[in-house]
Every structure is written in structure tokens, then in C-alpha cells.
Amino acid sequence: MSNNRRAAIGAVRDNWDRRAPAYDRFYQAYTQDKRDAWRATCEKILGEMFGRRDRPLEVLDVGTGTGFLSTLLAELGHNVTAVDASSTMLHYARAKARRRGIAVRTVACGAHDVATLDAKFDLVTSRYVLWTLPDPVAALRAWRGIINPGGGLLLADGLWHTWRHDFRRLVASLRPGADHRFPWLLLRDYAQIGHATPHWAGLTADRARALLAAGGFQCGTRHDRLLPGYARPVSADFFILGTRPAQLP
């Protein structure tokens, strides 16, 4: 790994370590109906991808953050390993699993380094992670290498920092009772990781599919029609893609 990429990965990790408490507060306040909508959507997507199965899926949730997706998948009965480069994020993910009374294995591991787990999985999941990675194609290739035959990848992402999107959020932050720190936090985050993150603005589904192709995956099926609008994130262009490794030549 080059020194430049190592430094970029470190900058992104440190940024999410700092943001972990606020990220956890956001999902502590996430309403149960939105969480239930996500869980139902995941169940439908996995039914489309894998059909009826007589055993749980072995799932790797990459960049689990505070454990939103990993706990949902564990609640559906699957065996989930949750990884994140941020030790602070993993602390909150473990606490969330304990609160919900479910078992999730957590491991400190960056998205680019999943081969070090020395394990194979039926499903790799990535929710709002790909846009943050200094080398997303390298990460996708690593994910491809640990997927069992017949397995797949579930990817959710969107556009997060277009100028129009951030301007609307800036205006909203100036309203009475809003978080007036937004402009400072945005500038801080950009200064810390904007240079390290080639997709700082976020990803469209088309751009994600181009990255998937470069990483050795099929273009995939878009599934976000299954998620009610009220449960979607604050994104200018949200999407969920289910895909499988492409056939090697």
C-alpha cells in the first residue's frame, strides 16, 4: 500500500472516530417505523437475491458504523460479522447489538482489508460506505474475493455533498431550533477528508455501477423501490443495488 493511500485511509478513519458520537445520537433518535421499513426491505431483497434457504446467510457488513444494518440482518436470523476501521464506531455497534439482544461479531478491519479476515461470506453489505473510501475499486475487488460461489453484494449509497444539496442543508440549519453548527462541521469534514475521498460528493447509481464493473461485479438490480420514501436518508439521489461477482474471463 502506498504512503498516500495509507494516509488517506487514516484520515477517513480518524474523521469517523470523531463523528461516531453524533452518528450514534442520530440513529438513537431514528424512529422504529423507519427501522422496520429497512428490515422489511432487506428481507424482500434477500428473498429476491437468494430465494428460499434452509440456513442463515453468512454476512459481512463492511463499514458497519454504529451497527444499523448489521443488527437488522441479525434480527432476520443471519450470522453477521460487522467490520469498521473506526474503533469508536465499533464500540457503539457492540452496544446497539447488546441493547437489542442479538449476536453480532464485530472486528476492527478497514473496508480495503477484508481479506485479512481469512473467511468467506454469502453476502457482503455496504451501507453509505463506498463514497467514503479512498480507493473504492480496490475495496470492491477485496470484497469480491471473499464472496462464496452464488453469493452477492448489497450496496446502498447516494449523493451527499452536491452544492445544491449542501446549500439546502445550510439554509435549513439557519432556522430556529436547527443545528447551527452545520456550516462549520461541513467545512471541517471537507478539510479533513475531502482530499482523501475521490467521491466526496457521493455516488449516483450509474457511477456506482461503473465502480462495480471495475471491481469485478455485475451491474446489478436496483431495489430502492421497496423502501418507503419516509425511511430514506437525506440524499439527493439514494439507491440500493444488489449484485453478484461477474464471471472472470
Side-chain angles (χ1 to χ4, degrees), residues 69-91:
L69 188 57
S70 61
T71 54
L72 290 185
L73 294 169
E75 286 171 351
L76 290 175
H78 302 297
N79 300 322
V80 182
T81 298
V83 300
D84 205 293
S86 166
S87 59
T88 311
M89 286 288 192
L90 284 178
H91 166 77

Side-chain angles (χ1 to χ4, degrees), residues 42-57:
C42 288
E43 188 170 30
K44 290 176 184 177
I45 293 171
L46 297 189
E48 290 185 20
M49 290 182 70
F50 295 98
R52 296 176 62 88
R53 294 176 59 90
D54 58 5
R55 64 175 181 83
L57 293 168

Side-chain angles (χ1 to χ4, degrees), residues 16-245:
W16 287 109
D17 267 333
R18 283 187 289 269
R19 292 183 62 181
Y23 204 73
D24 184 60
R25 287 193 297 272
F26 175 83
Y27 280 107
Q28 290 267 19
Y30 208 67
T31 58
Q32 187 62 40
D33 61 333
K34 291 184 179 181
R35 184 179 173 84
D36 290 343
W38 266 97
R39 184 169 52 241
T41 298
C42 288
E43 188 170 30
K44 290 176 184 177
I45 293 171
L46 297 189
E48 290 185 20
M49 290 182 70
F50 295 98
R52 296 176 62 88
R53 294 176 59 90
D54 58 5
R55 64 175 181 83
L57 293 168
E58 296 295 326
V59 180
L60 178 67
D61 186 34
V62 178
T64 193
T66 58
F68 180 83
L69 188 57
S70 61
T71 54
L72 290 185
L73 294 169
E75 286 171 351
L76 290 175
H78 302 297
N79 300 322
V80 182
T81 298
V83 300
D84 205 293
S86 166
S87 59
T88 311
M89 286 288 192
L90 284 178
H91 166 77
Y92 288 113
R94 294 186 192 104
K96 180 172 291 182
R98 287 195 298 269
R99 285 196 305 272
R100 302 193 76 85
I102 53 175
V104 174
R105 178 181 176 234
T106 58
V107 181
C109 178
H112 303 81
D113 304 318
V114 295
T116 64
L117 297 172
D118 195 26
K120 295 282 189 177
F121 299 89
D122 303 311
L123 178 69
V124 173
T125 57
S126 165
R127 182 176 180 265
Y128 315 156
V129 174
L130 201 62
W131 75 276
T132 71
L133 300 182
D135 194 343
V137 173
L140 285 165
R141 289 172 179 163
W143 303 353
R144 188 190 191 285
I146 60 169
I147 294 177
N148 283 323
L153 168 67
L154 186 60
L155 173 71
D157 223 308
L159 283 175
W160 309 103
H161 291 297
T162 66
W163 73 265
R164 289 187 180 88
H165 189 51
D166 282 340
F167 180 75
R168 288 197 296 270
R169 294 174 68 190
L170 173 61
V171 171
S173 74
L174 300 177
R175 295 170 182 162
D179 186 352
H180 301 313
R181 300 173 304 159
F182 172 74
W184 179 82
L185 294 174
L186 177 64
L187 290 173
R188 183 201 64 182
D189 285 349
Y190 182 78
Q192 290 172 350
I193 67 171
H195 66 286
T197 309
H199 300 287
W200 166 260
L203 293 166
T204 64
D206 287 344
R207 182 56 186 152
R209 282 175 162 146
L211 293 174
L212 287 169
F217 286 89
Q218 300 172 20
C219 66
T221 301
R222 187 164 177 170
H223 294 281
D224 47 289
R225 67 186 185 283
L226 300 175
L227 190 65
Y230 67 84
R232 297 187 184 191
V234 181
S235 167
D237 184 11
F238 165 73
F239 60 89
I240 304 174
L241 290 174
T243 185
R244 299 184 187 279

